[in-house]
Amino acid sequence: MTTRIDARFAELKQQGRSAFVTFVMAGDPDAKTSLDILKALPKAGADVIEIGMPFTDPMADGPSIQAAGLRALKGGMTLRKTLAMVRDFRKDDNATPIVLMGYYNPIYIYGVDSFLADAKAAGVDGLIIVDLPPEEDTELCIPAMKAGLNFIRLATPTTDDKRLPAVLANTSGFVYYVSITGITGAATADSKVVAEAVARIKRHTKLPVCVGFGIRTPETARAIAENANGAVVGTAIVDVVRANLDAEGRATPKTVSAVADLVSALAQGVRGAKQAAE
């Protein structure tokens, strides 16, 4: 079965360019503005969209994304409302891949089978669940694959050649390489170090390798995209949302357009990359 993620990466490979993957937090700063931002992303140049599922204890997220999740939770965002947002997005866009990113606890509370059925029906294509290692594949990964969803695994600078096969065993869609050790937004990715890591991962898999954490500017996005199949930007986008809220943390007339402007600039950076030979 080919998912939207598989189709999108195949299409980009034919075009000879890398993917620009954007991350936004569902419900930040409120449900309506969040949906408006989501709808604006493909037009601004996003090839794949990751949507954060707000959670009270996001251990891999830096201060910016933690704050976005708290804003969303304060505004009443839930996992069910996140799926409803995807359904609304799909009314106008049936092509852009959607990946839900977050933690296992909300899915466990929802009920794995119910969640997978509802996510698939809503138009979700893949999952990135930060706190489920390969040893727990029977919990969600394998059921997700059977439901027709890609399960995207994280590889990190500390994932050595001995560990990589386990990480890649049931991974599909793409591999998400975390370019730095630590939390999101904590440092800037080093493109030379990332290039070596991507090459090493590619020796173990034919899946696309996308790089996230530490990409904030069009220049860094371009440098990363020259060696990876995709560049993922989250913190910089979330920071622009925050910077365009009023004193009470509410959306302003500039919120959506400011995000779209940044995404457009970052997308141009990715599209300017000279794709390395496979």
Side-chain angles (χ1 to χ4, degrees), residues 214-240:
I215 303 173
R216 302 184 67 94
T217 66
E219 294 73 25
T220 307
R222 179 184 292 113
I224 294 297
E226 287 183 351
N227 294 289
N229 301 107
V232 187
V233 179
T235 297
I237 295 171
V238 167
D239 281 345
V240 166

mmCIF file of all heavy atoms in Angstrom, residues 214-240:
data_model
loop_
_atom_site.group_PDB
_atom_site.id
_atom_site.type_symbol
_atom_site.label_atom_id
_atom_site.label_comp_id
_atom_site.label_asym_id
_atom_site.label_seq_id
_atom_site.Cartn_x
_atom_site.Cartn_y
_atom_site.Cartn_z
ATOM 1 N N GLY A 214 17.220 21.986 15.222
ATOM 2 C CA GLY A 214 18.358 22.854 14.938
ATOM 3 C C GLY A 214 18.334 23.542 13.591
ATOM 4 O O GLY A 214 19.360 24.078 13.159
ATOM 5 N N ILE A 215 17.193 23.541 12.892
ATOM 6 C CA ILE A 215 17.094 24.229 11.596
ATOM 7 C C ILE A 215 16.149 25.416 11.775
ATOM 8 O O ILE A 215 14.955 25.237 12.021
ATOM 9 C CB ILE A 215 16.577 23.285 10.492
ATOM 10 C CG1 ILE A 215 17.477 22.048 10.379
ATOM 11 C CG2 ILE A 215 16.501 24.012 9.150
ATOM 12 C CD1 ILE A 215 16.953 20.982 9.440
ATOM 13 N N ARG A 216 16.681 26.623 11.637
ATOM 14 C CA ARG A 216 15.888 27.814 11.911
ATOM 15 C C ARG A 216 15.877 28.820 10.759
ATOM 16 O O ARG A 216 15.025 29.705 10.719
ATOM 17 C CB ARG A 216 16.410 28.529 13.161
ATOM 18 C CG ARG A 216 16.419 27.688 14.415
ATOM 19 C CD ARG A 216 16.865 28.504 15.619
ATOM 20 N NE ARG A 216 15.883 29.532 15.930
ATOM 21 C CZ ARG A 216 14.900 29.381 16.825
ATOM 22 N NH1 ARG A 216 14.785 28.242 17.489
ATOM 23 N NH2 ARG A 216 14.049 30.357 17.045
ATOM 24 N N THR A 217 16.840 28.712 9.855
ATOM 25 C CA THR A 217 16.975 29.719 8.796
ATOM 26 C C THR A 217 16.956 29.062 7.418
ATOM 27 O O THR A 217 17.244 27.866 7.283
ATOM 28 C CB THR A 217 18.306 30.481 8.933
ATOM 29 O OG1 THR A 217 19.399 29.557 8.684
ATOM 30 C CG2 THR A 217 18.460 31.078 10.329
ATOM 31 N N PRO A 218 16.632 29.844 6.359
ATOM 32 C CA PRO A 218 16.692 29.308 4.996
ATOM 33 C C PRO A 218 18.077 28.773 4.646
ATOM 34 O O PRO A 218 18.205 27.776 3.925
ATOM 35 C CB PRO A 218 16.321 30.517 4.126
ATOM 36 C CG PRO A 218 15.464 31.371 5.007
ATOM 37 C CD PRO A 218 16.056 31.211 6.386
ATOM 38 N N GLU A 219 19.126 29.428 5.172
ATOM 39 C CA GLU A 219 20.494 29.002 4.867
ATOM 40 C C GLU A 219 20.789 27.621 5.456
ATOM 41 O O GLU A 219 21.362 26.752 4.785
ATOM 42 C CB GLU A 219 21.497 30.040 5.402
ATOM 43 C CG GLU A 219 21.444 31.389 4.724
ATOM 44 C CD GLU A 219 20.225 32.226 5.099
ATOM 45 O OE1 GLU A 219 19.663 32.004 6.198
ATOM 46 O OE2 GLU A 219 19.821 33.072 4.292
ATOM 47 N N THR A 220 20.415 27.419 6.705
ATOM 48 C CA THR A 220 20.624 26.107 7.329
ATOM 49 C C THR A 220 19.761 25.052 6.651
ATOM 50 O O THR A 220 20.214 23.921 6.418
ATOM 51 C CB THR A 220 20.289 26.155 8.838
ATOM 52 O OG1 THR A 220 21.006 27.215 9.450
ATOM 53 C CG2 THR A 220 20.650 24.847 9.521
ATOM 54 N N ALA A 221 18.529 25.415 6.331
ATOM 55 C CA ALA A 221 17.631 24.481 5.642
ATOM 56 C C ALA A 221 18.231 24.041 4.303
ATOM 57 O O ALA A 221 18.200 22.860 3.947
ATOM 58 C CB ALA A 221 16.263 25.121 5.423
ATOM 59 N N ARG A 222 18.810 25.002 3.580
ATOM 60 C CA ARG A 222 19.428 24.676 2.293
ATOM 61 C C ARG A 222 20.606 23.733 2.488
ATOM 62 O O ARG A 222 20.749 22.727 1.768
ATOM 63 C CB ARG A 222 19.883 25.959 1.590
ATOM 64 C CG ARG A 222 20.556 25.710 0.239
ATOM 65 C CD ARG A 222 21.085 26.989 -0.395
ATOM 66 N NE ARG A 222 19.988 27.847 -0.799
ATOM 67 C CZ ARG A 222 19.707 29.034 -0.260
ATOM 68 N NH1 ARG A 222 20.454 29.498 0.742
ATOM 69 N NH2 ARG A 222 18.697 29.758 -0.698
ATOM 70 N N ALA A 223 21.460 24.038 3.457
ATOM 71 C CA ALA A 223 22.655 23.223 3.700
ATOM 72 C C ALA A 223 22.283 21.796 4.088
ATOM 73 O O ALA A 223 22.893 20.826 3.613
ATOM 74 C CB ALA A 223 23.510 23.871 4.790
ATOM 75 N N ILE A 224 21.257 21.649 4.925
ATOM 76 C CA ILE A 224 20.810 20.314 5.344
ATOM 77 C C ILE A 224 20.194 19.565 4.168
ATOM 78 O O ILE A 224 20.450 18.372 3.955
ATOM 79 C CB ILE A 224 19.794 20.428 6.499
ATOM 80 C CG1 ILE A 224 20.463 20.995 7.758
ATOM 81 C CG2 ILE A 224 19.137 19.080 6.785
ATOM 82 C CD1 ILE A 224 21.561 20.144 8.345
ATOM 83 N N ALA A 225 19.385 20.265 3.377
ATOM 84 C CA ALA A 225 18.666 19.621 2.265
ATOM 85 C C ALA A 225 19.596 19.143 1.160
ATOM 86 O O ALA A 225 19.204 18.310 0.333
ATOM 87 C CB ALA A 225 17.628 20.588 1.692
ATOM 88 N N GLU A 226 20.816 19.640 1.124
ATOM 89 C CA GLU A 226 21.756 19.189 0.094
ATOM 90 C C GLU A 226 22.190 17.742 0.319
ATOM 91 O O GLU A 226 22.629 17.076 -0.615
ATOM 92 C CB GLU A 226 22.969 20.124 0.039
ATOM 93 C CG GLU A 226 22.611 21.468 -0.604
ATOM 94 C CD GLU A 226 23.797 22.395 -0.739
ATOM 95 O OE1 GLU A 226 24.875 22.065 -0.184
ATOM 96 O OE2 GLU A 226 23.655 23.450 -1.380
ATOM 97 N N ASN A 227 22.056 17.243 1.533
ATOM 98 C CA ASN A 227 22.488 15.878 1.834
ATOM 99 C C ASN A 227 21.379 14.974 2.350
ATOM 100 O O ASN A 227 21.532 13.762 2.370
ATOM 101 C CB ASN A 227 23.624 15.918 2.861
ATOM 102 C CG ASN A 227 24.871 16.562 2.298
ATOM 103 O OD1 ASN A 227 25.543 15.995 1.454
ATOM 104 N ND2 ASN A 227 25.169 17.777 2.749
ATOM 105 N N ALA A 228 20.265 15.568 2.777
ATOM 106 C CA ALA A 228 19.149 14.786 3.295
ATOM 107 C C ALA A 228 17.978 14.834 2.318
ATOM 108 O O ALA A 228 17.935 15.682 1.426
ATOM 109 C CB ALA A 228 18.719 15.332 4.647
ATOM 110 N N ASN A 229 17.035 13.924 2.505
ATOM 111 C CA ASN A 229 15.833 13.902 1.649
ATOM 112 C C ASN A 229 14.778 14.893 2.105
ATOM 113 O O ASN A 229 13.775 15.097 1.428
ATOM 114 C CB ASN A 229 15.239 12.501 1.620
ATOM 115 C CG ASN A 229 16.215 11.472 1.091
ATOM 116 O OD1 ASN A 229 16.735 10.666 1.847
ATOM 117 N ND2 ASN A 229 16.499 11.506 -0.205
ATOM 118 N N GLY A 230 15.017 15.505 3.268
ATOM 119 C CA GLY A 230 14.074 16.498 3.758
ATOM 120 C C GLY A 230 14.644 17.256 4.938
ATOM 121 O O GLY A 230 15.498 16.743 5.669
ATOM 122 N N ALA A 231 14.182 18.504 5.097
ATOM 123 C CA ALA A 231 14.543 19.326 6.250
ATOM 124 C C ALA A 231 13.274 19.628 7.026
ATOM 125 O O ALA A 231 12.258 20.015 6.442
ATOM 126 C CB ALA A 231 15.206 20.616 5.793
ATOM 127 N N VAL A 232 13.329 19.414 8.347
ATOM 128 C CA VAL A 232 12.162 19.605 9.214
ATOM 129 C C VAL A 232 12.373 20.848 10.071
ATOM 130 O O VAL A 232 13.402 20.976 10.733
ATOM 131 C CB VAL A 232 11.946 18.386 10.142
ATOM 132 C CG1 VAL A 232 10.633 18.533 10.908
ATOM 133 C CG2 VAL A 232 11.992 17.082 9.357
ATOM 134 N N VAL A 233 11.394 21.752 10.063
ATOM 135 C CA VAL A 233 11.483 22.961 10.889
ATOM 136 C C VAL A 233 10.253 23.041 11.786
ATOM 137 O O VAL A 233 9.122 22.953 11.298
ATOM 138 C CB VAL A 233 11.588 24.231 10.025
ATOM 139 C CG1 VAL A 233 11.650 25.476 10.920
ATOM 140 C CG2 VAL A 233 12.822 24.176 9.125
ATOM 141 N N GLY A 234 10.500 23.196 13.083
ATOM 142 C CA GLY A 234 9.397 23.294 14.035
ATOM 143 C C GLY A 234 9.507 24.495 14.951
ATOM 144 O O GLY A 234 8.663 25.377 14.962
ATOM 145 N N THR A 235 10.597 24.567 15.719
ATOM 146 C CA THR A 235 10.739 25.620 16.724
ATOM 147 C C THR A 235 10.641 27.014 16.106
ATOM 148 O O THR A 235 9.974 27.897 16.658
ATOM 149 C CB THR A 235 12.070 25.463 17.489
ATOM 150 O OG1 THR A 235 12.054 24.212 18.191
ATOM 151 C CG2 THR A 235 12.273 26.586 18.486
ATOM 152 N N ALA A 236 11.302 27.233 14.979
ATOM 153 C CA ALA A 236 11.272 28.561 14.350
ATOM 154 C C ALA A 236 9.854 28.965 13.976
ATOM 155 O O ALA A 236 9.470 30.139 14.111
ATOM 156 C CB ALA A 236 12.174 28.573 13.116
ATOM 157 N N ILE A 237 9.057 28.001 13.521
ATOM 158 C CA ILE A 237 7.670 28.288 13.137
ATOM 159 C C ILE A 237 6.834 28.585 14.380
ATOM 160 O O ILE A 237 6.061 29.547 14.419
ATOM 161 C CB ILE A 237 7.082 27.109 12.336
ATOM 162 C CG1 ILE A 237 7.829 26.957 11.002
ATOM 163 C CG2 ILE A 237 5.581 27.307 12.098
ATOM 164 C CD1 ILE A 237 7.478 25.699 10.232
ATOM 165 N N VAL A 238 7.008 27.771 15.413
ATOM 166 C CA VAL A 238 6.277 27.973 16.662
ATOM 167 C C VAL A 238 6.638 29.323 17.291
ATOM 168 O O VAL A 238 5.788 30.017 17.855
ATOM 169 C CB VAL A 238 6.566 26.800 17.635
ATOM 170 C CG1 VAL A 238 6.088 27.106 19.031
ATOM 171 C CG2 VAL A 238 5.893 25.527 17.120
ATOM 172 N N ASP A 239 7.916 29.707 17.172
ATOM 173 C CA ASP A 239 8.347 31.000 17.709
ATOM 174 C C ASP A 239 7.665 32.173 16.997
ATOM 175 O O ASP A 239 7.362 33.198 17.623
ATOM 176 C CB ASP A 239 9.868 31.151 17.597
ATOM 177 C CG ASP A 239 10.619 30.398 18.682
ATOM 178 O OD1 ASP A 239 9.986 29.996 19.680
ATOM 179 O OD2 ASP A 239 11.843 30.216 18.539
ATOM 180 N N VAL A 240 7.449 32.026 15.693
ATOM 181 C CA VAL A 240 6.769 33.087 14.942
ATOM 182 C C VAL A 240 5.302 33.191 15.355
ATOM 183 O O VAL A 240 4.753 34.286 15.430
ATOM 184 C CB VAL A 240 6.906 32.856 13.418
ATOM 185 C CG1 VAL A 240 5.953 33.734 12.634
ATOM 186 C CG2 VAL A 240 8.332 33.160 12.985
#
